[in-house]
Amino acid sequence: MKVVSDRFVPGRRLRVAIVHEWLDTYAGSERVLEQLLRSYPEADVFAVVDFLTGPDREMLRGRKVTTSFIQRLPGARKRFRNYLQLMPIAVEQFDLAGYDLILSSHHAVAKGVITGPDQVHVCYVHSPMRYAWDMQAEYLHQSGMERGLRSLYARWLLHRLRGFDVRSANGVDLFIANSRYIARRIRKAYRRDAEVVAPPVDVQRFQPGHDTRRDYVVVSRMVPYKRVDLVVEAFRGLPDRRLLVIGDGTEREKIAALASGAPNIELLGRLPQDALLRTLQQARAFVFAAEEDFGIAMVEAQACGTPLIVYGRGGAADIIDPDAGPPTGVLFDEQTPEAIRNAVWRFERDEALMTPERCRANALRFSPDAFARGIAEAVARALDEARRNGAPIPATDSQPIFHRHGAL
């Protein structure tokens, strides 16, 4: 869509473009995109590539996605991430001249789109590029690229991406972070302040059950930074507590080896959504040892009335606030099995205070409706500021459509 000729016609509708990184699966950032599309149903969508298929594609509700030239490059369907070095150029080629409001959903290059002085660019940040900033060393180690020519190329590429990341931050009028932790990372990387709006969680689908709560549960992809190994090691030292491990990934064999010989630990692999829901409803507590940008799985557990035992860095500190009132979980300060075991004992000491009702009430703070209202208020302020500065942005039809979270 490119409309320029009627840009200044009085009474016309606000034109909105939503820029997403890439569409290949339905995960956390796609949940944000889905809710943005519900709030702005007439928005056009842009993405580096679009390979969504089957049920995952239903979130687009029949919308055509404008993609970049990377969509047509050899092998892009399976290996589009190999074209990371071209993605900054790719997003800069999107023609957004006909839009008043650009919403970018960013964790890599989406905020790099080019906008003009009479347009408002609001960027929702899932995280600055972790592998290009403070997690570069960990990324190179996990990828086996600490030495050699591949390492030299990767370091050069990440250096270039950092330059692009900082430069493109100048084109953003308002940053919105998904947690206070990410707001601090934005401040560190871009020297910009950010408002905080937590991502939407389907709290209506995750409801408390009525079964007896018995087992401790960890739900996670089995990749190194998720630190599922620490949880398993901790419960090896708690033989009278049962731990259910849900998920799969590159570290499955390592986790299975750690759990071998421990009859109180059971690996369930990936579960269908209905089975996952039942397991969370029956859980005594949800245990998690990773430093997350936000932590949607934690909120899903809380929505089921399940208390949390989680590492207190990252987004977890937004979900479990020790100063916010009655507790709904326990935070631990170190990523060690000993710290997790101590947190389990503290949880059991105060377990009676962490009622399903309190956990559920805490989760409702992160509903899709709360997300939509937070985004709407932030966008409205950005649009009003642009109008005060003389930008010819229409005032009519500028508010998004709201959907009560119970109807989503």
Side-chain angles (χ1 to χ4, degrees), residues 117-118 120 378-393 395:
D118 290 335
V120 173
V379 167
R381 288 191 294 271
L383 291 174
D384 286 344
E385 181 177 356
R387 293 187 190 103
R388 287 194 299 269
N389 291 329
I393 295 174

Side-chain angles (χ1 to χ4, degrees), residues 13 18 36-44 63 399-401 403:
R13 298 180 65 85
I18 300 177
L36 290 176
L37 290 173
R38 293 190 179 204
S39 292
Y40 299 92
E42 295 184 359
D44 293 329
R63 287 180 179 84
Q399 293 301 313
I401 294 175
H403 298 257

Side-chain angles (χ1 to χ4, degrees), residues 22-51:
W22 46 73
L23 290 163
D24 71 317
T25 187
Y26 183 80
S29 65
E30 284 70 35
R31 299 184 195 193
V32 168
L33 174 61
E34 181 177 24
Q35 297 305 321
L36 290 176
L37 290 173
R38 293 190 179 204
S39 292
Y40 299 92
E42 295 184 359
D44 293 329
V45 183
F46 296 77
V48 172
V49 296
D50 174 17
F51 295 122

Side-chain angles (χ1 to χ4, degrees), residues 274-292:
D274 289 346
L276 172 62
L277 174 60
R278 288 194 301 272
T279 304
L280 289 176
Q281 290 171 335
Q282 296 167 0
R284 187 175 180 182
F286 179 97
V287 189
F288 200 72
E291 182 176 326
E292 287 283 66

Side-chain angles (χ1 to χ4, degrees), residues 59-71:
M59 59 166 284
L60 295 171
R61 297 181 176 231
R63 287 180 179 84
K64 180 182 181 298
V65 178
T66 299
T67 57
S68 74
F69 64 83
I70 293 177
Q71 178 88 12

Side-chain angles (χ1 to χ4, degrees), residues 238-258:
L238 297 169
D240 54 343
R241 280 90 166 172
R242 189 163 180 256
L243 175 69
L244 304 179
V245 182
I246 300 172
D248 203 351
T250 58
E251 291 219 315
R252 180 177 175 82
E253 291 186 8
K254 174 184 175 181
I255 302 302
L258 287 173

Side-chain angles (χ1 to χ4, degrees), residues 12-16 40 42 100-101 379 383 387 393-394 396-399:
R12 66 171 177 80
R13 298 180 65 85
L14 186 79
R15 296 196 177 94
V16 183
Y40 299 92
E42 295 184 359
D100 305 291
L101 171 65
V379 167
L383 291 174
R387 293 187 190 103
I393 295 174
T396 57
D397 298 319
S398 60
Q399 293 301 313

